[in-house]
Amino acid sequence: METMDLEQLIGWDSLLNDDERAVRASVRRLVREKFMPRIVADYEGGRFAIELLPELARLGLLGANLEGYGCAGMGSLAYGLACHELESCDSGLRSFVSVQTSLAMYAIHKFGSERQKQRWLPEMAAGRVLGCFGLTEPNHGSDPGGMETRAERDGADWIVSGRKLWITNAQIAHVAIVWARTRDGIGGFIVERGQFASEEIPHKLSMRASITGGLVMDGARVPDENRLPEAAGLKAPLSCLDNARFGVAWGVLGAARACLEIAIQYARERTQFGVPIAAKQLVQLELADIATEVVKASLLAVHYARLKEAGRLHPAQTSLLKRNNCRIALEAARRSRAVLGANGIAGEFHVLRHAANLESTFTYEGTDQIHTLSIGRALTGSAAF
Ligand SMILES: Cc1cc2nc3c(=O)[nH]c(=O)nc-3n(C[C@H](O)[C@H](O)[C@H](O)COP(=O)(O)OP(=O)(O)OC[C@H]3O[C@@H](n4cnc5c(N)ncnc54)[C@H](O)[C@@H]3O)c2cc1C
């Protein structure tokens, strides 16, 4: 019997141009050849594959959707496809690229001076300088407007003090984009290693192949030339998050696709009651439900990517996309896990690792609930945060 895979159900090929297909193919190849063979061990060991960074840089994935300064200048859809392929391996791999590209580099690209862009972006695109993005604090997550980190002017410098927590790449970053309260409102600072210390977050049960930690600034002396001159107020870091969550929304579909493919293959090979479980109606219901949601989410992602490329994507639409895709990906991973029975909890079948990672994507870059409220605000005009 002829079968159809998810790509055929989506009709991907009719939606993409040649450049987009080429990006998808090259990232897929890199992921399959270099990252997949080690991901089970890396996840178990709580390691990020930092040695493979030059490979990510070689494909132009660091700063991929930024223009100039050694960046690849990919369109939004091509960047989305790259995120999708990276996360089909592990959400932590896509998180690394997202933070470097859409949070740290984007903040400098959008809010930095020409000198800052010249100094940092080419090095970051080449993977020689790694960045992180410090907004969340121990006491302020969904409501970053309450942040306690402060920056006081002292002659030609700023004195930055405070603590940031749950920061991706904190322990490996050479520079941290730190958001701090100043007398004139919230500002952004490029804080260099040595001016900040990082701390571990032990015993993580999700995103184990990603580096997550804390930043400590204890009277860090930051020259004024490291302040982001165009970043004024909380809307600056929020616009970085809006940009990054587009990549999250695309990435999680890669994890969902991987889970579905694993579940289909398993169901066709696993025999119970004398037939492959794939021939059982209740198993097909699981697979059909997962596929339907992934197809719908993918088509929405393509449509919104085209709007983003035209500069017409509203933040409420990004919220809708992020919330929807993280929900359906998490559900896809959980339901795929069940199709695999006991094997579903074994590392080599990947699905529970994806499910555990997707719990983080449900929470970071704005929680599911906060995006619900963003959509609600757009629909009603009333902010219910
Ligand atoms: C793996 C990982 C990586 C991360 N990387 C980064 C990073 O690189 N940089 C960074 O700055 N941050 C990062 N974060 C932090 C992340 O952005 C925050 O966890 C997120 O914003 C939520 O904040 P919180 O955890 O403090 O939860 P809280 O804000 O305390 O929320 C707890 C619960 O209350 C709900 N809630 C809060 N307010 C409301 C409300 N008004 N109405 C209804 N419900 C509400 C939330 O939805 C959530 O369910 C990361 C987190 C994780 C898990």
Side-chain angles (χ1 to χ4, degrees):
M1 173 77 75
E2 202 181 315
T3 58
M4 280 183 90
D5 64 18
L6 197 54
E7 282 178 20
Q8 291 166 313
L9 282 174
I10 294 169
W12 267 129
D13 276 342
S14 66
L15 298 168
L16 308 181
N17 64 32
D18 288 347
D19 288 347
E20 291 157 350
R21 280 191 212 103
V23 167
R24 186 178 61 161
S26 57
V27 181
R28 186 172 290 183
R29 198 173 321 110
L30 174 68
V31 163
R32 288 203 176 147
E33 287 174 6
K34 297 287 169 80
F35 288 93
M36 277 311 289
R38 53 180 292 169
I39 187 58
V40 174
D42 279 349
Y43 198 83
E44 217 166 84
R47 273 191 310 271
F48 171 66
I50 197 160
E51 319 77 270
L52 294 179
L53 246 175
E55 307 270 356
L56 297 172
R58 192 175 50 79
L59 287 192
L61 295 176
L62 308 180
N65 57 355
L66 301 176
E67 293 287 343
Y69 309 99
C71 302
M74 276 180 206
S76 297
L77 206 145
Y79 179 61
L81 289 165
C83 291
H84 181 111
E85 294 303 327
L86 293 169
E87 198 152 347
S88 70
C89 172
D90 192 80
S91 303
L93 176 56
R94 198 267 312 139
S95 292
F96 172 84
V97 169
S98 285
V99 168
Q100 177 82 351
T101 298
S102 299
L103 291 176
M105 292 176 75
Y106 177 82
I108 296 171
H109 198 272
K110 178 144 185 170
F111 301 112
S113 65
E114 188 53 38
R115 195 158 162 227
Q116 289 167 346
K117 292 180 207 183
Q118 300 277 3
R119 176 170 176 205
W120 297 110
L121 294 178
E123 289 294 291
M124 294 175 88
R128 286 188 290 271
V129 169
L130 304 183
C132 68
F133 184 88
L135 181 64
T136 305
E137 298 186 352
N139 296 325
H140 305 278
S142 298
D143 182 17
M147 71 175 62
E148 294 163 45
T149 300
R150 300 196 68 84
E152 299 281 352
R153 192 74 201 241
D154 183 32
D157 298 331
W158 293 82
I159 307 298
V160 182
S161 294
R163 225 181 126 210
K164 300 287 178 181
L165 201 58
W166 290 108
I167 306 305
T168 303
N169 298 344
Q171 298 94 310
I172 54 170
H174 303 97
V175 291
I177 305 298
V178 172
W179 301 94
R181 188 175 295 289
T182 73
R183 275 177 200 199
D184 301 322
I186 287 167
F189 298 85
I190 304 170
V191 183
E192 295 178 52
R193 172 71 62 183
Q195 295 165 334
F196 69 84
S198 48
E199 45 185 22
E200 298 287 327
I201 298 180
H203 314 306
K204 263 189 318 174
L205 298 178
S206 169
M207 294 282 189
R208 288 188 53 75
S210 170
I211 292 172
T212 326
L215 302 174
V216 183
M217 282 76 51
D218 185 10
R221 184 167 285 279
V222 179
D224 187 51
E225 66 183 35
N226 278 19
R227 186 181 58 85
L228 295 172
E230 306 301 328
L234 193 58
K235 64 179 190 308
L238 295 186
S239 81
C240 299
L241 291 172
D242 179 64
N243 183 49
R245 58 181 64 116
F246 174 83
V248 177
W250 269 89
V252 294
L253 295 179
R257 184 198 86 208
C259 290
L260 178 62
E261 287 173 353
I262 293 163
I264 292 170
Q265 190 185 343
Y266 189 85
R268 297 178 76 180
E269 289 169 3
R270 175 74 175 170
T271 295
Q272 290 293 288
F273 298 97
V275 291
I277 59 170
K280 298 292 180 190
Q281 291 180 351
L282 292 182
V283 172
Q284 291 193 3
L285 173 69
E286 296 302 300
L287 303 176
D289 279 355
I290 296 168
T292 304
E293 291 305 319
V294 176
V295 169
K296 288 180 340 197
S298 302
L299 293 174
L300 182 64
V302 170
H303 173 52
Y304 279 4
R306 297 291 183 217
L307 287 184
K308 191 168 168 65
E309 284 171 352
R312 290 195 285 121
L313 188 68
H314 189 277
Q317 292 171 305
T318 311
S319 283
L320 190 153
L321 187 70
K322 192 273 182 184
R323 174 177 178 266
N324 179 70
N325 292 11
C326 290
R327 279 185 174 192
I328 69 106
L330 182 55
E331 186 70 7
R334 287 174 177 161
R335 291 176 77 170
S336 299
R337 209 290 305 150
V339 170
L340 271 71
N343 278 326
I345 75 159
E348 60 267 36
F349 285 96
H350 307 292
V351 283
L352 189 59
R353 173 171 54 78
H354 281 301
N357 284 338
L358 290 163
E359 292 289 348
S360 286
T361 67
F362 194 77
T363 286
Y364 73 18
E365 307 274 353
T367 68
D368 180 85
Q369 292 80 2
I370 292 299
H371 289 301
T372 305
L373 300 177
S374 297
I375 299 164
R377 179 179 56 186
L379 291 172
T380 66
S382 295
F385 296 96

